[in-house]
Amino acid sequence: MKRILLFLCFSMCIFGFSQSKVTSIETVIIEDKSDPKALEILNKVNQYFHENSPKTLDSYYYKSYEKISLDIDEDSIAQYNKFFEETGMFKKRRKKDSLNNITARKIFSKSKLFLWERAQEFLYSKKYGEKINILDNRISGLKQPIYEMISLQQSNRDKIPDQLKKENRGLYRFFLTDTIEIDGRKNFVIRFREVNYKKPDKKRKYNGAIYVDTETFGVKKIENFSKNKNDGIITSSWIFFNNKWFLAYETVKLKMSNMQMENENSEQKIDRKSKKTFGTYAFLTSRYFDYRSPVENNQNDFKGYTFSVKNIDGKTLDQYRTDPLNERERNTYKTIDSLGKIYNIDQKARVLGGLFLNGQIKVGVVDFAVDEIVNYNLYEGFRVGLKAKLNENFNPYFSPDYIFAYGFKDDKWKYRIGLDIKTTLEKDSYFRLDYYDDVTASGEFYRRLWSFKMRTANYGNNLNNDRYYRYKGASVSYLNDVTNGLTLVFAARRNLEEAMFDYSFRGRGPSFDNFNTLFTLKYSPNSTNIMTPQGKSLIDQKYPEVYFNYEQSYKIFGGDFDYTRFDALLVHNFKTMFGTTGFRLYGGMVFGEAPIWKNFTMNGLASSRKDFNFNLTSFLGFATLEGGKYYNDHFIAYYFTHKIPWYFKSFGQNISSFDFVLRGTTGNMRHPDYHQFRFRPLNHLYQEVGLEWNNFLSTYFNLGLFYRVGYYTTPNFKQNFAIQFKLKILDF
């Protein structure tokens, strides 16, 4: 549901229409208790959830039709139109009204502000997995769809609703109140409320109700009300088919904002007494139908990624609509589509969509990467750059790109020129040619195939590291998505590599020729992807994930080395009634003789030059460890985080919580004498513990406090202590 709200907010940003913030249901724990009988039933719901799931069947098939809109409450439409006609308020627009504000009010007189329809079919096979085909789609105001958005999934399809999750038990109080019959089957009625939910006047006694089938302990229905009447309701209902519980429908009505309408007298003075307020709401209706099980499966039907798009122009939606469009809805397409041309909504949507989802700004035939605009590291200082790539509007198969960057501290220009040559448009499969002259930190993990969020989380990794090396040369590579969850890359590279610090390898100086091959693997079996004209797009990153790199250097084509280098990263998280636990296990090893930049830095973020350690979070970094000080030729490391299931309010509307963090690493350098520069092997267990305050003071930052423990602890408190900031959207 949060993704649906994100899309609505995104759409309203395009129109320039403001809305109030919709906050999380998480809230403060107070001293009251749930009914033990209700908790016993909910425990059985969780116990039998997998058994009741359609995915325990050998196969199934069904369709869905969804409609999302932004509109005035139906009960207020007649009153709104009457006020609109009587006042004549739009005959002469007041100066203080913005064009977007006036446009939105005019739209509401005859149509909705926003309308999105989508039809899908769901195929499942125990042998081949799940496939979701978007049969058709139409979004008002847009000529081309935002592919990543049209594949958003509903909240309660094939997963445990939030109200039933054990880790969320502390957020609600549950009460068994009744037993009723629905569709010929008996159901327990469990009512619930948020933990701080009191009963002042004009507010409901409960937040909602859960209807549980008495025979199978499957969920029949969930209703979630807002605290204030008329502010919203979310309802999900399931149907018992082939002895399993399939989602049947979902409806949502959520208040987004209030819109004030002011009458004016003949002298154009505002009549305050006649001022009226109308609520604007987000509406969602989803209907699931045409259930079949078992069904015959064809392997070809499951090829490609989880999502595929069959049609995008909306011409076949009549085949799937469970109810015909009413007059306001038909007017919405006419009105908003015409406004889309005037205000160039299509281009705005593409720009904002690419920015939010993968860090790119699309302008015509060119995509610009935002993560290359400004960076900072200790060697280059501030680095400014421009990364541009010709997209599918230039050519669907050939995509040239370039990077130009300048470091103010080292006073040097860097560049990379590349070309992608696709072999098919059905999946990511392409050859790539590169020619480059750039610098990077010594000893880092390869981040190829990392998601945009992971790369962003690693932004602060070299704020206190100046051990950089230059690499100049060319490479050829081939990437292929073997399956939805498995990606393989093979590359061959010929480089001139040179240390940009005082360094010599075995007395042979700082500069070498290197010819090597690199094999990279990413395995993410549970993540959801969609193929778009731009290429594969990650819809939902799910764990576990495995990343693996194998680099082999050769003494051919002028190469000076024959080392072997491995590194691997496992990312996973899981939820229990005690909270959410996440971990990263990673490590690497080098065999043979290799310069220091092909060994492993230990990802220190702290500075030896400062009395106070403050840094940005890093995906693999240590807050209290000095950057660029430690190097190993083999190591192993871990990063554990656990969200404590206790929530509280500090200021504002956001809910805060705490994460406990434990990081550790150890390894060694077999031949430190090979490397003539100042460094230390990290050959004992290095550990730090921390506590992260999520939504610090109701901001979108997490504040982390970390302390070094164990072998490397020093008598100096400041050296052992560090403060970290992290953007909340980066999650674990």
Side-chain angles (χ1 to χ4, degrees):
M1 198 59 61
K2 290 180 179 178
R3 289 179 170 236
I4 297 297
L5 289 174
L6 175 63
F7 182 84
L8 285 166
C9 293
F10 168 78
S11 305
M12 294 163 73
C13 286
I14 295 173
F15 284 99
F17 187 72
S18 64
Q19 71 281 337
S20 62
K21 182 180 174 184
V22 180
T23 57
S24 170
I25 58 174
E26 298 177 352
T27 180
V28 186
I29 296 177
I30 61 175
E31 292 297 322
D32 61 343
K33 296 181 179 179
S34 295
D35 178 357
K37 294 181 180 179
L39 293 180
E40 183 181 353
I41 294 171
L42 293 179
N43 287 336
K44 290 186 177 181
V45 171
N46 282 270
Q47 179 183 347
Y48 293 110
F49 183 83
H50 176 72
E51 183 179 327
N52 285 317
S53 169
K55 287 192 174 177
T56 55
L57 297 170
D58 289 333
S59 61
Y60 63 70
Y61 171 93
Y62 60 89
K63 296 175 184 174
S64 73
Y65 167 74
E66 294 122 326
K67 182 165 56 180
I68 301 171
S69 62
L70 189 69
D71 199 3
I72 302 170
D73 186 21
E74 291 182 3
D75 297 334
S76 303
I77 290 175
Q79 186 181 7
Y80 181 95
N81 288 336
K82 181 180 178 182
F83 186 89
F84 181 90
E85 293 169 1
E86 288 179 351
T87 59
M89 62 179 298
F90 300 114
K91 292 179 180 177
K92 184 176 181 180
R93 180 163 58 93
R94 296 191 302 274
K95 291 182 179 180
K96 71 174 185 177
D97 282 325
S98 69
L99 178 61
N100 286 337
N101 200 19
I102 282 291
T103 300
R105 294 178 182 180
K106 283 185 177 180
I107 290 169
F108 279 133
S109 67
K110 294 183 182 291
S111 71
K112 299 172 181 283
L113 183 66
F114 172 80
L115 180 62
W116 171 25
E117 294 180 280
R118 176 180 63 174
Q120 299 179 105
E121 64 178 1
F122 302 84
L123 295 81
Y124 174 77
S125 163
K126 268 190 177 178
K127 184 177 181 180
Y128 303 122
E130 184 176 50
K131 182 71 173 181
I132 304 172
N133 294 318
I134 299 172
L135 300 172
D136 209 347
N137 170 86
R138 188 175 181 184
I139 301 175
S140 59
L142 298 182
K143 296 178 182 177
Q144 295 294 324
I146 305 169
Y147 289 89
E148 295 82 1
M149 291 298 184
I150 67 174
S151 54
L152 293 180
Q153 301 182 63
Q154 261 53 304
S155 57
N156 287 329
R157 197 186 68 82
D158 293 335
K159 60 183 182 181
I160 299 177
D162 288 340
Q163 296 88 346
L164 303 180
K165 293 178 180 177
K166 288 187 176 181
E167 66 268 24
N168 290 344
R169 289 286 170 85
L171 302 176
Y172 303 94
R173 296 295 178 258
F174 301 94
F175 307 92
L176 178 61
T177 60
D178 201 356
T179 303
I180 65 172
E181 187 173 296
I182 306 177
D183 296 335
R185 300 181 66 91
K186 287 186 177 180
N187 289 266
F188 297 115
V189 181
I190 299 175
R191 305 200 181 272
F192 62 88
R193 65 168 181 257
E194 296 176 18
V195 290
N196 71 337
Y197 197 87
K198 300 178 182 179
K199 192 189 173 186
D201 293 339
K202 299 181 181 180
K203 292 194 176 182
R204 305 176 189 273
K205 183 177 180 180
Y206 297 107
N207 269 88
I210 304 169
Y211 300 82
V212 179
D213 184 74
T214 59
E215 181 181 342
T216 64
F217 290 96
V219 181
K220 170 60 181 176
K221 187 177 182 180
I222 294 181
E223 295 176 318
N224 204 133
F225 305 99
S226 62
K227 293 182 181 179
N228 297 309
K229 291 183 179 181
N230 300 320
D231 271 7
I233 180 173
I234 302 173
T235 302
S236 300
S237 182
W238 286 259
I239 186 173
F240 196 57
F241 174 78
N242 200 9
N243 295 317
K244 305 297 175 183
W245 289 96
F246 286 78
L247 187 62
Y249 71 82
E250 287 186 317
T251 59
V252 176
K253 175 186 175 182
L254 290 178
K255 191 171 185 178
M256 303 296 285
S257 67
N258 284 320
M259 181 170 55
Q260 290 188 348
M261 305 282 284
E262 297 171 343
N263 198 356
E264 294 179 354
N265 60 23
S266 59
E267 297 177 355
Q268 299 299 318
K269 293 182 180 179
I270 297 174
D271 184 357
R272 300 295 180 185
K273 294 181 180 181
S274 64
K275 182 192 297 185
K276 291 190 178 182
T277 300
F278 296 90
T280 58
Y281 292 83
F283 295 93
L284 163 68
T285 59
S286 300
R287 297 290 183 267
Y288 298 82
F289 56 94
D290 197 12
Y291 303 98
R292 306 175 203 169
S293 180
V295 294
E296 291 187 10
N297 290 312
N298 187 327
Q299 184 177 359
N300 291 330
D301 294 335
F302 293 84
K303 282 186 176 180
Y305 303 122
T306 309
F307 280 89
S308 66
V309 181
K310 301 295 186 182
N311 197 25
I312 58 172
D313 58 14
K315 292 181 179 179
T316 65
L317 283 171
D318 273 336
Q319 302 175 25
Y320 312 108
R321 288 188 180 111
T322 51
D323 296 300
L325 296 181
N326 59 38
E327 184 180 0
R328 286 179 66 80
E329 290 169 336
R330 291 193 299 271
N331 288 340
T332 302
Y333 283 129
K334 296 176 184 176
T335 305
I336 304 303
D337 287 352
S338 62
L339 286 173
K341 296 177 182 178
I342 297 172
Y343 295 114
N344 204 8
I345 292 175
D346 223 40
Q347 182 176 344
K348 293 179 182 178
R350 288 196 298 269
V351 170
L352 292 175
L355 180 62
F356 291 150
L357 295 167
N358 52 32
Q360 293 184 340
I361 299 175
K362 182 182 289 292
V363 181
V365 299
V366 183
D367 293 342
F368 295 96
V370 298
D371 58 351
E372 287 288 341
I373 296 175
V374 180
N375 286 280
Y376 181 85
N377 59 72
L378 199 59
Y379 171 72
E380 294 177 285
F382 280 103
R383 170 179 168 134
V384 295
L386 182 65
K387 179 180 179 180
K389 185 177 185 64
L390 295 181
N391 56 43
E392 75 285 354
N393 295 325
F394 168 76
N395 188 286
Y397 285 94
F398 297 91
S399 181
D401 58 76
Y402 69 84
I403 301 174
F404 289 108
Y406 176 76
F408 284 91
K409 188 174 179 180
D410 67 338
D411 192 25
K412 294 285 175 53
W413 285 94
K414 297 90 180 176
Y415 65 87
R416 174 186 292 267
I417 301 172
L419 172 66
D420 289 340
I421 306 171
K422 294 182 181 180
T423 62
T424 178
L425 300 181
E426 295 181 357
K427 65 175 184 176
D428 264 9
S429 174
Y430 57 86
F431 290 94
R432 178 169 177 81
L433 305 174
D434 274 302
Y435 183 73
Y436 42 78
D437 186 352
D438 206 342
V439 297
T440 191
S442 299
E444 287 202 310
F445 252 59
Y446 290 118
R447 295 188 291 276
R448 188 163 194 176
L449 303 181
W450 280 23
S451 68
F452 173 66
K453 186 170 69 173
M454 292 170 64
R455 297 195 308 272
T456 303
N458 214 53
Y459 175 84
N461 206 45
N462 294 300
L463 295 180
N464 291 306
N465 180 16
D466 62 354
R467 305 293 172 84
Y468 270 58
Y469 76 99
R470 178 192 179 194
Y471 60 102
K472 179 181 180 180
S475 72
V476 58
S477 62
Y478 174 65
L479 179 148
N480 184 28
D481 280 337
V482 180
T483 67
N484 180 72
L486 177 63
T487 302
L488 304 178
V489 187
F490 179 81
R493 306 176 296 185
R494 174 64 167 82
N495 293 338
L496 169 66
E497 299 171 357
E498 180 182 8
M500 297 288 98
F501 53 97
D502 187 11
Y503 173 77
S504 178
F505 176 67
R506 305 202 70 180
R508 294 156 55 188
S511 178
F512 301 92
D513 292 311
N514 190 357
F515 175 77
N516 62 57
T517 57
L518 176 65
F519 171 77
T520 302
L521 174 151
K522 175 185 177 181
Y523 183 57
S524 183
N526 299 321
S527 291
T528 303
N529 304 291
I530 185 173
M531 189 63 187
T532 75
Q534 296 87 5
K536 180 178 73 172
S537 185
L538 177 63
I539 299 300
D540 191 8
Q541 187 173 11
K542 294 181 180 178
Y543 304 106
E545 286 190 331
V546 177
Y547 299 83
F548 174 79
N549 293 287
Y550 161 52
E551 181 179 342
Q552 180 65 55
S553 185
Y554 305 90
K555 284 188 175 180
I556 57 175
F557 300 114
D560 294 327
F561 304 110
D562 58 0
Y563 62 82
T564 301
R565 185 184 195 264
F566 295 94
D567 67 55
L569 166 66
L570 168 65
V571 186
H572 194 28
N573 69 4
F574 55 90
K575 297 180 180 180
T576 67
M577 63 181 299
F578 303 107
T580 302
T581 301
F583 64 86
R584 300 170 192 148
L585 299 177
Y586 56 103
M589 184 171 291
V590 178
F591 300 95
E593 299 180 6
I596 195 66
W597 53 84
K598 291 299 180 180
N599 290 266
F600 299 97
T601 183
M602 305 313 293
N603 296 304
L605 305 177
S607 172
S608 61
R609 306 167 184 81
K610 300 177 182 178
D611 294 331
F612 177 70
N613 286 325
F614 173 82
N615 46 64
L616 301 176
T617 190
S618 172
F619 199 74
L620 300 179
F622 290 80
T624 62
L625 184 66
E626 288 182 30
K629 181 177 181 179
Y630 297 94
Y631 285 87
N632 287 350
D633 61 14
H634 62 279
F635 83 103
I636 188 169
Y638 55 83
Y639 179 134
F640 285 94
T641 178
H642 179 75
K643 184 179 292 295
I644 302 170
W646 176 66
Y647 305 92
F648 63 95
K649 246 180 184 178
S650 52
F651 299 98
Q653 297 297 319
N654 284 331
I655 303 302
S656 293
S657 61
F658 289 107
D659 287 357
F660 172 76
V661 180
L662 173 64
R663 300 168 178 150
T665 184
T666 188
N668 207 348
M669 174 73 78
R670 286 184 291 263
H671 298 286
D673 53 301
Y674 285 1
H675 310 282
Q676 284 83 57
F677 83 113
R678 294 184 60 184
F679 80 101
R680 287 177 56 184
L682 196 148
N683 51 14
H684 293 82
L685 179 61
Y686 186 98
Q687 289 193 111
E688 62 184 26
V689 296
L691 192 68
E692 286 190 352
W693 180 349
N694 300 313
N695 290 331
F696 174 62
L697 297 180
S698 284
T699 66
Y700 288 97
F701 288 93
N702 297 346
L703 174 68
L705 305 177
F706 291 87
Y707 196 80
R708 185 189 311 179
V709 296
Y711 180 85
Y712 289 93
T713 305
T714 71
N716 187 331
F717 173 83
K718 291 182 179 179
Q719 289 181 344
N720 298 324
F721 179 73
I723 295 178
Q724 269 194 342
F725 255 25
K726 178 174 76 173
L727 275 172
K728 178 179 180 287
I729 59 173
L730 297 178
D731 297 326
F732 149 71

